[in-house]
Amino acid sequence: EVQLVESGGGLVQAGGSLRLSCAASGFTFEDRAIGWFRQAPGKEREAVSCISSKDGSTYYADSVKGRFTISSDNAKNTMYLQMNSLKPEDTAVYYCAAVAEIMLDDLTTLKDWLHFGRWGQGTQVTVSA
């Protein structure tokens, strides 16, 4: 079965850390961009961090730069998001996704990720003040 499964979400106090994992099955990350996205209640889904398969370049949303780190272990077909110095405004459902990079106009074009990508089911991250 082709799927992405996230884990590692939970409740944490402001200033704390969480590490999200996303395991892929039924396909590999080869030639695919991978990324983490989030959606808070009443807000649109946004890109948090992505990695290009072309050159390994990364994207981070301004709001998480210096606090979050994306990585992947292709041997395990797993991607990670290390989240440090968490803030209440980081509270959201976090989704991992993978997409054939040839389908992207740009690494952060959300509509292309939504249309062509494979998505996990999401994991809740709640940061208390």
Side-chain angles (χ1 to χ4, degrees):
E1 184 178 3
V2 175
Q3 62 178 355
L4 291 167
V5 179
E6 299 104 336
S7 61
L11 173 65
V12 64
Q13 288 187 329
S17 298
L18 284 174
R19 188 194 195 203
L20 305 183
S21 299
C22 173
S25 59
F27 71 103
T28 70
F29 293 155
E30 185 177 1
D31 297 325
R32 286 179 167 84
I34 58 176
W36 289 93
F37 300 76
R38 67 186 180 186
Q39 188 164 16
K43 295 187 177 181
E44 293 187 352
R45 192 168 300 189
E46 63 174 352
V48 175
S49 184
C50 308
I51 298 178
S52 168
S53 64
K54 294 178 183 177
D55 56 11
S57 60
T58 56
Y59 162 83
Y60 290 95
D62 288 342
S63 58
V64 307
K65 281 181 182 176
R67 300 188 297 122
F68 291 12
T69 303
I70 189 172
S71 62
S72 68
D73 183 337
N74 288 350
K76 295 182 178 179
N77 248 11
T78 301
M79 69 175 91
Y80 306 94
L81 185 68
Q82 178 66 44
M83 304 186 295
N84 298 328
S85 301
L86 283 160
K87 304 176 181 180
E89 51 263 43
D90 294 318
T91 295
V93 178
Y94 283 71
Y95 300 88
C96 63
V99 64
E101 194 152 353
I102 194 172
M103 306 306 292
L104 297 178
D105 285 338
D106 180 83
L107 188 59
T108 61
T109 304
L110 181 59
K111 66 177 179 62
D112 292 337
W113 284 88
L114 292 172
H115 190 71
F116 299 112
R118 299 189 187 277
W119 289 79
Q121 81 286 356
T123 185
Q124 177 71 46
V125 171
T126 303
V127 184
S128 62

Coordinates of all heavy atoms in Angstrom, one line a residue, residues 18-65:
L18 N 9.8 19.0 19.8 CA 9.2 17.7 19.3 C 9.9 17.3 18.1 O 10.4 18.2 17.3 CB 7.7 17.9 19.0 CG 6.7 18.0 20.2 CD1 5.3 18.3 19.6 CD2 6.6 16.7 20.9
R19 N 9.9 16.0 17.8 CA 10.4 15.5 16.5 C 9.3 14.7 15.8 O 8.9 13.7 16.3 CB 11.6 14.7 16.8 CG 12.4 14.3 15.5 CD 13.3 13.1 15.8 NE 14.3 12.9 14.7 CZ 14.9 11.8 14.4 NH1 14.7 10.7 15.2 NH2 15.8 11.7 13.5
L20 N 8.9 15.2 14.7 CA 8.0 14.5 13.9 C 8.7 13.6 12.9 O 9.7 13.9 12.4 CB 7.1 15.5 13.1 CG 6.4 16.6 13.9 CD1 5.5 17.4 12.9 CD2 5.5 16.0 15.0
S21 N 8.1 12.4 12.7 CA 8.6 11.5 11.7 C 7.5 11.2 10.7 O 6.3 11.2 11.0 CB 9.0 10.2 12.4 OG 10.0 10.4 13.4
C22 N 7.9 10.8 9.5 CA 7.0 10.5 8.4 C 7.6 9.3 7.7 O 8.6 9.5 7.0 CB 6.8 11.7 7.6 SG 5.8 11.3 6.1
A23 N 7.0 8.1 7.8 CA 7.5 6.9 7.1 C 6.7 6.7 5.8 O 5.5 6.7 5.9 CB 7.4 5.7 8.0
A24 N 7.4 6.5 4.7 CA 6.8 6.2 3.5 C 6.8 4.7 3.2 O 7.8 4.0 3.5 CB 7.5 6.9 2.3
S25 N 5.7 4.2 2.6 CA 5.7 2.8 2.2 C 5.1 2.7 0.8 O 4.2 3.5 0.4 CB 4.9 1.9 3.2 OG 3.6 2.4 3.3
G26 N 5.5 1.8 0.0 CA 5.0 1.6 -1.3 C 5.7 2.4 -2.4 O 5.4 2.3 -3.6
F27 N 6.6 3.4 -2.0 CA 7.3 4.2 -2.9 C 8.5 4.7 -2.2 O 8.6 4.6 -1.0 CB 6.4 5.3 -3.5 CG 6.1 6.4 -2.5 CD1 6.8 7.6 -2.5 CD2 5.2 6.2 -1.5 CE1 6.5 8.6 -1.6 CE2 4.9 7.2 -0.6 CZ 5.5 8.4 -0.7
T28 N 9.4 5.3 -3.0 CA 10.6 5.9 -2.4 C 10.7 7.4 -2.6 O 9.9 7.9 -3.4 CB 11.9 5.3 -2.9 OG1 12.1 5.7 -4.3 CG2 11.9 3.8 -2.9
F29 N 11.6 8.1 -1.9 CA 11.7 9.5 -2.1 C 12.6 9.9 -3.3 O 12.8 11.1 -3.6 CB 12.4 10.1 -0.8 CG 11.6 10.0 0.4 CD1 12.1 10.0 1.6 CD2 10.2 10.0 0.3 CE1 11.4 9.9 2.8 CE2 9.4 9.9 1.5 CZ 10.0 9.9 2.7
E30 N 13.1 8.9 -4.0 CA 13.9 9.2 -5.2 C 13.1 10.1 -6.2 O 12.0 9.8 -6.6 CB 14.3 7.9 -5.9 CG 15.3 8.2 -7.0 CD 15.8 6.9 -7.7 OE1 15.3 5.8 -7.2 OE2 16.6 6.9 -8.6
D31 N 13.8 11.2 -6.6 CA 13.2 12.1 -7.6 C 11.9 12.8 -7.0 O 11.2 13.4 -7.8 CB 12.9 11.5 -8.9 CG 14.2 11.0 -9.6 OD1 15.2 11.6 -9.5 OD2 14.1 9.9 -10.3
R32 N 11.7 12.8 -5.7 CA 10.6 13.4 -5.2 C 11.0 14.5 -4.2 O 11.9 14.3 -3.4 CB 9.7 12.4 -4.4 CG 8.9 11.5 -5.3 CD 8.0 10.6 -4.5 NE 7.1 9.9 -5.3 CZ 7.3 8.8 -6.1 NH1 8.5 8.3 -6.1 NH2 6.3 8.3 -6.8
A33 N 10.4 15.6 -4.3 CA 10.5 16.6 -3.2 C 9.7 16.1 -2.0 O 8.7 15.5 -2.2 CB 10.0 18.0 -3.7
I34 N 10.2 16.4 -0.8 CA 9.5 16.0 0.4 C 9.3 17.3 1.2 O 10.1 18.2 1.2 CB 10.3 14.9 1.2 CG1 11.7 15.4 1.5 CG2 10.3 13.7 0.4 CD1 12.4 14.4 2.4
G35 N 8.3 17.3 2.0 CA 8.1 18.5 2.8 C 7.1 18.3 4.0 O 6.4 17.3 4.1
W36 N 7.1 19.3 4.8 CA 6.1 19.3 6.0 C 5.3 20.6 5.8 O 5.8 21.7 5.4 CB 6.9 19.4 7.3 CG 7.6 18.1 7.6 CD1 8.9 17.8 7.4 CD2 7.0 17.0 8.3 NE1 9.1 16.5 7.8 CE2 8.0 16.0 8.5 CE3 5.8 16.8 8.9 CZ2 7.8 14.8 9.1 CZ3 5.5 15.6 9.5 CH2 6.5 14.6 9.6
F37 N 4.0 20.4 6.1 CA 3.0 21.5 6.0 C 2.2 21.5 7.3 O 2.2 20.5 8.0 CB 2.1 21.2 4.8 CG 2.9 21.2 3.5 CD1 3.6 20.1 3.1 CD2 2.8 22.3 2.6 CE1 4.3 20.1 1.9 CE2 3.5 22.3 1.4 CZ 4.3 21.1 1.0
R38 N 1.5 22.6 7.5 CA 0.7 22.6 8.7 C -0.6 23.4 8.4 O -0.6 24.3 7.5 CB 1.4 23.2 9.9 CG 1.8 24.7 9.8 CD 2.7 25.1 11.0 NE 3.0 26.5 10.9 CZ 3.9 27.1 11.7 NH1 4.5 26.4 12.7 NH2 4.1 28.4 11.6
Q39 N -1.6 23.1 9.2 CA -2.9 23.9 9.1 C -3.4 24.1 10.5 O -3.8 23.1 11.2 CB -3.8 23.1 8.2 CG -5.1 23.9 7.9 CD -5.8 23.3 6.7 OE1 -5.6 22.1 6.3 NE2 -6.7 24.1 6.1
A40 N -3.6 25.3 10.8 CA -4.2 25.7 12.1 C -5.6 25.9 11.9 O -6.1 26.2 10.7 CB -3.5 27.0 12.6
P41 N -6.4 25.8 12.9 CA -7.9 26.0 12.8 C -8.2 27.4 12.2 O -7.7 28.4 12.6 CB -8.4 25.9 14.2 CG -7.4 25.1 14.9 CD -6.1 25.4 14.3
G42 N -9.1 27.4 11.1 CA -9.5 28.6 10.5 C -8.4 29.2 9.6 O -8.7 30.3 9.0
K43 N -7.3 28.5 9.4 CA -6.3 29.1 8.5 C -6.0 28.1 7.3 O -6.4 26.9 7.4 CB -5.0 29.3 9.3 CG -5.1 30.4 10.3 CD -3.8 30.7 11.0 CE -3.9 31.8 12.0 NZ -2.5 32.1 12.6
E44 N -5.4 28.6 6.3 CA -5.1 27.8 5.1 C -3.8 27.0 5.5 O -3.0 27.3 6.3 CB -4.8 28.7 3.9 CG -6.0 29.4 3.4 CD -5.7 30.1 2.1 OE1 -4.6 30.2 1.7 OE2 -6.7 30.6 1.5
R45 N -3.7 25.9 4.8 CA -2.5 25.0 4.9 C -1.3 25.8 4.4 O -1.4 26.5 3.3 CB -2.7 23.7 4.1 CG -1.6 22.7 4.4 CD -2.0 21.3 3.9 NE -3.3 20.8 4.4 CZ -3.7 19.6 4.2 NH1 -3.0 18.7 3.5 NH2 -4.9 19.3 4.7
E46 N -0.2 25.7 5.1 CA 1.0 26.4 4.6 C 2.2 25.5 4.7 O 2.3 24.5 5.4 CB 1.3 27.6 5.6 CG 1.5 27.2 7.0 CD 1.9 28.4 7.9 OE1 2.2 29.5 7.3 OE2 2.0 28.2 9.1
A47 N 3.2 25.8 3.8 CA 4.4 25.1 3.8 C 5.3 25.5 5.0 O 5.5 26.7 5.2 CB 5.1 25.3 2.5
V48 N 5.8 24.5 5.7 CA 6.7 24.8 6.8 C 8.1 24.6 6.3 O 9.0 25.5 6.6 CB 6.4 23.8 8.0 CG1 7.4 24.0 9.1 CG2 5.0 24.0 8.5
S49 N 8.4 23.5 5.7 CA 9.8 23.2 5.3 C 9.8 22.1 4.2 O 9.0 21.2 4.3 CB 10.6 22.7 6.4 OG 12.0 22.5 6.0
C50 N 10.6 22.3 3.2 CA 10.7 21.3 2.1 C 12.1 21.1 1.7 O 13.0 21.9 1.9 CB 9.9 21.9 0.8 SG 8.2 22.4 1.2
I51 N 12.4 19.9 1.1 CA 13.7 19.6 0.5 C 13.5 19.3 -1.0 O 12.7 18.5 -1.3 CB 14.3 18.4 1.2 CG1 14.6 18.7 2.7 CG2 15.6 18.0 0.6 CD1 15.2 17.5 3.4
S52 N 14.4 19.9 -1.8 CA 14.4 19.5 -3.2 C 15.2 18.3 -3.4 O 16.3 18.1 -2.9 CB 15.0 20.7 -4.0 OG 15.2 20.3 -5.3
S53 N 14.7 17.4 -4.3 CA 15.5 16.2 -4.7 C 16.5 16.5 -5.7 O 17.4 15.7 -5.9 CB 14.5 15.1 -5.2 OG 13.9 15.5 -6.4
K54 N 16.4 17.7 -6.4 CA 17.3 18.0 -7.4 C 18.7 18.3 -6.9 O 19.7 17.9 -7.4 CB 16.8 19.3 -8.2 CG 15.5 19.0 -9.0 CD 15.1 20.3 -9.7 CE 13.8 20.1 -10.4 NZ 13.3 21.3 -11.0
D55 N 18.7 19.2 -5.8 CA 20.0 19.6 -5.3 C 20.1 19.6 -3.8 O 21.1 20.1 -3.2 CB 20.3 21.0 -5.8 CG 19.3 22.0 -5.5 OD1 18.4 21.7 -4.7 OD2 19.3 23.2 -6.1
G56 N 19.1 19.1 -3.2 CA 19.1 19.1 -1.7 C 18.8 20.4 -1.1 O 18.9 20.5 0.2
S57 N 18.4 21.4 -1.8 CA 18.2 22.7 -1.2 C 16.9 22.6 -0.4 O 16.0 21.8 -0.6 CB 18.0 23.8 -2.3 OG 16.9 23.4 -3.2
T58 N 16.9 23.5 0.6 CA 15.8 23.5 1.6 C 15.0 24.8 1.6 O 15.6 25.8 1.3 CB 16.3 23.1 3.0 OG1 17.3 24.1 3.3 CG2 16.8 21.7 3.1
Y59 N 13.8 24.7 2.0 CA 13.0 25.9 2.2 C 12.5 25.8 3.6 O 12.1 24.8 4.1 CB 11.8 25.9 1.2 CG 10.7 26.8 1.7 CD1 10.7 28.2 1.4 CD2 9.6 26.4 2.4 CE1 9.8 29.1 1.9 CE2 8.6 27.2 2.8 CZ 8.7 28.6 2.6 OH 7.7 29.4 3.0
Y60 N 12.5 27.0 4.3 CA 11.8 27.1 5.6 C 11.0 28.4 5.6 O 11.4 29.4 5.1 CB 12.9 27.3 6.7 CG 13.7 26.0 7.0 CD1 14.9 25.8 6.4 CD2 13.2 25.0 7.8 CE1 15.6 24.6 6.7 CE2 13.9 23.9 8.1 CZ 15.1 23.7 7.5 OH 15.8 22.6 7.8
A61 N 9.8 28.2 6.1 CA 8.9 29.4 6.3 C 9.6 30.4 7.3 O 10.4 29.9 8.2 CB 7.6 29.0 6.9
D62 N 9.5 31.6 7.1 CA 10.1 32.6 7.9 C 9.8 32.4 9.4 O 10.7 32.6 10.2 CB 9.7 34.1 7.5 CG 10.3 34.5 6.2 OD1 11.3 33.9 5.7 OD2 9.8 35.4 5.6
S63 N 8.6 32.0 9.7 CA 8.2 31.8 11.0 C 8.9 30.7 11.8 O 8.8 30.6 13.0 CB 6.7 31.6 11.1 OG 6.3 30.4 10.3
V64 N 9.6 29.8 11.1 CA 10.2 28.7 11.7 C 11.7 28.6 11.5 O 12.4 27.8 12.1 CB 9.6 27.3 11.2 CG1 8.1 27.3 11.4 CG2 10.0 27.0 9.8
K65 N 12.2 29.6 10.7 CA 13.7 29.6 10.5 C 14.5 29.7 11.8 O 14.1 30.5 12.7 CB 14.0 30.8 9.6 CG 13.7 30.5 8.1 CD 14.1 31.7 7.3 CE 13.8 31.5 5.8 NZ 14.1 32.7 5.0

